[in-house]
Amino acid sequence: MAGPEQGGPLARLAELYGVATEYRPAPDRTVAVPEEAVTAALAALGVDTADPAAALAARERELARRLLPPTVVLTGRELPALPGGTALRVVTEDGGTRTGDACLDGLPHGVHRLTATAPDGRTGEAHLIVAPDRAPGVEGRHRGLLVQLYSLLSHRSWGMGDLGDLADLAGWAGRALGVGFVQLNPLHAGVPGPPVDPSPYRPSSRRFPDPLYLRVEEIPESAHVAEEDRPRLRALAEQAARLREGVLAKDARIDRDAVWDLKRRALELVRAVPLAPGRRAAYADFLAREGRALEDHATWYALAEAHGTDWHRWPERLRDPRSPETARARRELADRVDFHRWLTWLADEQLAAAQRTAREAGMPVGLIHDLAVGVHPGGADTWALGDCFATGMSVGAPPDAFNAHGQDWGLPPWRPDRLAETGYAPLRDLLRARFRHAGALRIDHVMGLFRLWWVPQGRPPTQGTYVRYDADAMLAVLALEAHRAGAAVIGEDLGTVEPGVREALRERGVLGTSVLWFERDWEGGGRPLAPEQWRADCLATVTTHDLPPTASRLTHDHVDLRDRLGLLTRPAELEREAAAAELGEWLAELDDRGLLDGSREEDVIRALHRFLWRTPARLVGVWLPDGVGDRRPQNVPGTSDEYPNWRLPVADGEGRPVTLEELSSSPRLHALLAGLAEPARESPERRPPGRHTGR
């Protein structure tokens, strides 16, 4: 498909709205974007492209008349160019007023309101973001654990890992292992079932936590359930125990629908217990703090119980959260709305308790929460903030060396123009909520702060285009909210990253993500990158939730799995040869540096992590399943029903699920973490190559 004529009215119009008409997947290659993708993206931004020349002229006139853009980021205390003699007025975040030429001096951090009046009578208003130059850093170096919480069951879980398990993990790992952090999967509120969407990266809402993770017994009111209801509560707990034991059987799957059915019925019984005065006051404070956003969130869940989980299919007038019909439905469903507000409060409380436990156990960072790149198109966030999302578009990725067909993640993107018009309020509110009980926040696909690949609905990912965001404003908001929370920021910057992005993130204090298998000296022959050459400002790991566990790589099980799933793009034998060559290079590197103490699988895994500890990385993470030899990935990108993504408990090398209690006494896990407690000595002089220990 042909792209817009470069320099023509459509291409110039697209440029003014940040819509790409071409992109460069490699420094020596430029790809033209199909004209249909450009016009679709512009349409999603409210631009009529029937007559591109007329639309371009209208946009240019609008920009020429505008005194201020909708949002201004104050950098170096200088504003965009204004006519001489322009009068300024600032209303600060706390309600104070400043006027005159010096009104910008000493402004506190925050989002203020700026008014400019030019001598010719023109006026302009803008949100004025004043933020720290950088997000808070991480003091010292720390090792920690990476875990998908649902996969970590204890003997008290109701069929999947929960927030009680998280607190137990944090308390034990901090005290017994001396780790500094625990990084989690996103705990965002999911789309309710049945069926419950198992992916934590496709939530209904990113702002509020998921009550599916609640530990029922740790709700204070659960101890005071009415006498006549206690047999029912005990029966539900017994069913949960049977469900848990079923999941802990070999080859079992986590059944979120069954878990939520039991928990929901138990929570209904607990809710009948009146709150004590102090608890009632705490709940009232929570409702006041969260305000209309929580009201909308709970209303969506109440309406979903009656009309289904895709609001696009609801009666038309209920699709608008501000319609009179929705207000009436909210009143009629008041009890269910309050039920979902109450669930959100309980989940927030248990998250706070888990972070408190982590800090009390001596963790300098504590919990690292994960912010997914987007939300479900039919969920609570898109309903409540509908005009902030680009209708008819989906976030994805263009074709690359790993996926020739590109990717469509099925997540609607933010509209950059709407974000600017609101002073980035939806993003600010989201970040503030996610930072609240975190020592750090990992941002999935952090490149999305700069640009996102928009795919028009019904089109393949190859027919999408990049849409640019105001990275200065996005990063300023991120630094502001991180500063307010006193929390660090980690950006998942793996894959294709446009030039300058990593540098901009580093300047703002955002740590990167470095995965061992991808760290190579590409300018020096492609061998494994020497540890001293790794960047310091990063979270370094051997693997992630989207990659094979390390034991799987050592045995090449990951090649066999992808072969069975039909995901290979070349013969399996060639893939095995390439995997063996890659592993051989790393084994040689480990042996040359004196890190290999043996040839067993656990020896190699321990050596790989000791290699990470030789790097200057501020954070070094251990994928918890690596500690017990799990060979099964939690997620295989490119699959859905073909593989049980997001539904596997942590298991040993034989596929036998391992409980939290068993993990806490695992000699293998203790030895792995002990290897990261040793001082990171200077690397010895490299031995001659070829003396590595083979399998």
Side-chain angles (χ1 to χ4, degrees):
M1 293 185 178
E5 177 190 354
Q6 294 303 309
L10 181 59
R12 290 159 56 200
L13 179 66
E15 183 180 3
L16 291 179
Y17 282 95
V19 177
T21 56
E22 60 182 24
Y23 68 98
R24 302 181 70 184
D28 58 348
R29 182 168 172 246
T30 299
V31 177
V33 171
E35 184 171 317
E36 291 81 356
V38 174
T39 56
L42 288 170
L45 293 169
V47 182
D48 183 356
T49 59
D51 185 343
L56 174 63
R59 179 62 170 170
E60 289 175 336
R61 286 194 300 271
E62 175 195 344
L63 294 176
R65 288 195 305 264
R66 193 168 71 181
L67 200 58
L68 290 171
T71 291
V72 172
V73 177
L74 193 58
T75 304
R77 297 300 185 262
E78 294 180 2
L79 291 175
L82 293 169
T86 298
L88 301 178
R89 180 174 182 266
V90 174
V91 178
T92 60
E93 200 173 56
D94 60 5
T97 300
R98 300 182 178 201
T99 58
D101 294 339
C103 69
L104 303 180
D105 294 343
L107 273 176
H109 294 150
V111 181
H112 315 299
R113 193 67 183 166
L114 171 66
T115 302
T117 303
D120 61 7
R122 285 183 300 149
T123 62
E125 290 193 1
H127 301 276
L128 180 63
I129 300 176
V130 181
D133 293 334
R134 298 171 57 84
V138 173
E139 296 295 328
R141 298 188 71 207
H142 308 287
R143 58 208 174 101
L145 299 174
L146 282 62
V147 63
Q148 300 280 290
L149 180 57
Y150 58 82
S151 72
L152 181 65
L153 280 73
S154 71
H155 289 301
R156 300 174 68 185
S157 308
W158 282 35
M160 61 178 279
D162 59 36
L163 293 170
D165 294 321
L166 175 57
D168 287 342
L169 172 68
W172 161 69
R175 290 184 169 88
L177 300 179
V179 304
F181 64 89
V182 173
Q183 180 185 300
L184 303 158
N185 56 283
L187 301 181
H188 308 319
V191 177
V196 173
D197 191 329
S199 174
Y201 290 92
R202 191 174 159 86
S204 173
S205 172
R206 293 190 292 174
R207 176 165 176 175
F208 295 104
D210 196 340
L212 179 62
Y213 287 99
L214 281 169
R215 170 71 66 82
V216 175
E217 295 87 346
E218 293 188 4
I219 301 169
E221 288 72 32
S222 67
H224 305 287
V225 168
E227 191 69 35
E228 61 270 21
D229 288 334
R230 289 182 186 176
R232 293 169 59 197
L233 189 59
R234 283 196 298 271
L236 291 168
E238 290 167 0
Q239 292 180 61
R242 290 193 292 272
L243 178 63
R244 176 184 64 242
E245 294 311 311
V247 174
L248 292 176
K250 186 174 180 179
D251 297 327
R253 304 287 183 264
I254 292 168
D255 186 342
R256 287 170 173 77
D257 292 318
V259 172
W260 180 237
D261 178 61
L262 293 175
K263 284 191 179 182
R264 179 187 53 77
R265 287 189 280 161
L267 289 163
E268 297 278 11
L269 297 175
V270 174
R271 184 171 175 250
V273 178
L275 296 175
R279 295 273 293 162
R280 189 167 62 248
Y283 182 41
D285 283 350
F286 179 77
L287 297 181
R289 186 187 77 196
E290 300 302 332
R292 193 175 79 176
L294 177 60
E295 190 78 10
D296 287 343
H297 179 78
T299 299
W300 183 90
Y301 278 84
L303 288 170
E305 291 177 340
H307 300 288
T309 56
D310 184 351
W311 62 266
H312 298 93
R313 300 181 180 180
W314 293 356
E316 184 174 358
R317 293 185 178 181
L318 294 180
R319 299 173 196 171
D320 178 1
R322 302 291 160 252
S323 72
E325 289 76 13
T326 298
R328 182 167 58 250
R330 184 182 283 116
R331 291 191 296 271
E332 293 170 352
L333 297 170
D335 183 67
R336 299 309 298 169
V337 171
D338 188 60
F339 176 65
H340 291 288
R341 293 189 305 184
W342 175 75
L343 291 179
T344 305
W345 172 57
L346 295 178
D348 184 81
E349 280 201 321
Q350 291 192 6
L351 272 175
Q355 172 66 351
R356 189 164 55 248
T357 298
R359 288 296 179 84
E360 290 171 352
M363 289 191 190
V365 178
L367 303 183
I368 299 179
H369 289 294
D370 197 350
L371 178 65
V373 71
V375 292
H376 194 286
D381 278 3
T382 58
W383 179 72
L385 301 168
D387 63 350
C388 289
F389 291 93
T391 303
M393 307 301 291
S394 176
V395 175
D400 57 30
F402 299 99
N403 193 322
H405 302 293
Q407 299 176 61
D408 182 347
W409 303 330
L411 308 170
W414 293 118
R415 281 185 57 166
D417 56 336
R418 291 283 188 264
L419 288 178
E421 289 166 6
T422 63
Y424 293 80
L427 178 62
R428 287 187 279 125
D429 293 341
L430 168 60
L431 290 172
R432 191 173 303 138
R434 295 282 52 80
F435 275 124
R436 185 166 291 120
H437 306 308
L441 181 67
R442 173 191 180 270
I443 300 180
D444 191 40
H445 193 70
V446 72
M447 295 80 79
L449 298 178
F450 296 77
R451 65 177 185 176
L452 283 172
W453 184 256
W454 287 20
V455 181
Q457 192 170 22
R459 297 282 186 173
T462 52
Q463 295 179 25
T465 186
Y466 279 113
V467 175
R468 190 160 294 282
Y469 293 77
D470 185 340
D472 286 340
M474 302 280 272
L475 290 171
V477 168
L478 180 60
L480 174 63
E481 295 303 334
H483 177 77
R484 285 171 161 168
V489 182
I490 302 164
E492 188 266 300
D493 56 352
L494 303 175
T496 302
V497 184
E498 66 177 318
V501 166
R502 286 196 175 101
E503 291 78 7
L505 292 170
R506 185 172 62 247
E507 288 174 5
R508 281 292 193 172
V510 178
L511 302 180
T513 301
S514 293
V515 176
L516 178 135
W517 306 105
F518 303 151
E519 293 296 320
R520 289 179 171 270
D521 182 6
W522 299 111
E523 297 180 359
R527 287 191 55 80
L529 189 66
E532 58 271 15
Q533 294 179 329
W534 285 44
R535 54 182 170 172
D537 295 329
C538 74
L539 164 65
T541 66
V542 175
T543 191
T544 75
H545 60 270
D546 279 333
L547 295 173
T550 307
S552 178
R553 281 192 185 270
L554 300 183
T555 57
H556 308 327
D557 283 0
H558 67 303
V559 176
D560 297 337
L561 175 61
R562 290 178 62 80
D563 186 29
R564 291 196 301 273
L565 295 173
L567 297 176
L568 298 182
T569 57
R570 57 180 174 174
E573 190 55 40
L574 291 179
E575 287 285 346
R576 292 189 190 95
E577 289 176 4
E582 178 186 42
L583 177 59
E585 287 183 329
W586 276 105
L587 290 173
E589 185 74 16
L590 297 175
D591 192 43
D592 292 347
R593 294 183 180 277
L595 295 172
L596 269 177
D597 296 329
S599 60
R600 296 177 305 165
E601 171 191 289
E602 60 185 277
D603 297 329
V604 178
I605 292 175
R606 189 159 57 245
L608 289 167
H609 286 86
R610 290 170 64 194
F611 179 94
L612 290 184
W613 199 240
R614 290 270 181 96
T615 75
R618 296 189 183 279
L619 301 176
V620 174
V622 173
W623 177 236
L624 187 60
D626 275 356
V628 288
D630 200 342
R631 285 173 165 73
R632 306 180 303 179
Q634 282 295 313
N635 178 51
V636 178
T639 65
S640 53
D641 297 334
E642 304 93 335
Y643 184 82
N645 294 320
W646 319 113
R647 286 171 285 180
L648 296 174
V650 175
D652 62 17
E654 302 302 318
R656 185 187 66 84
V658 178
T659 64
L660 174 57
E661 291 85 356
E662 291 170 316
L663 277 166
S664 68
S665 59
S666 166
R668 177 170 174 168
L669 179 60
H670 279 265
L672 177 56
L673 269 297
L676 299 185
E678 302 169 358
R681 301 182 304 275
E682 292 294 324
S683 297
E685 185 175 335
R686 291 174 60 88
R687 308 173 195 169
R691 297 176 53 194
H692 66 271
T693 304
R695 285 184 48 78

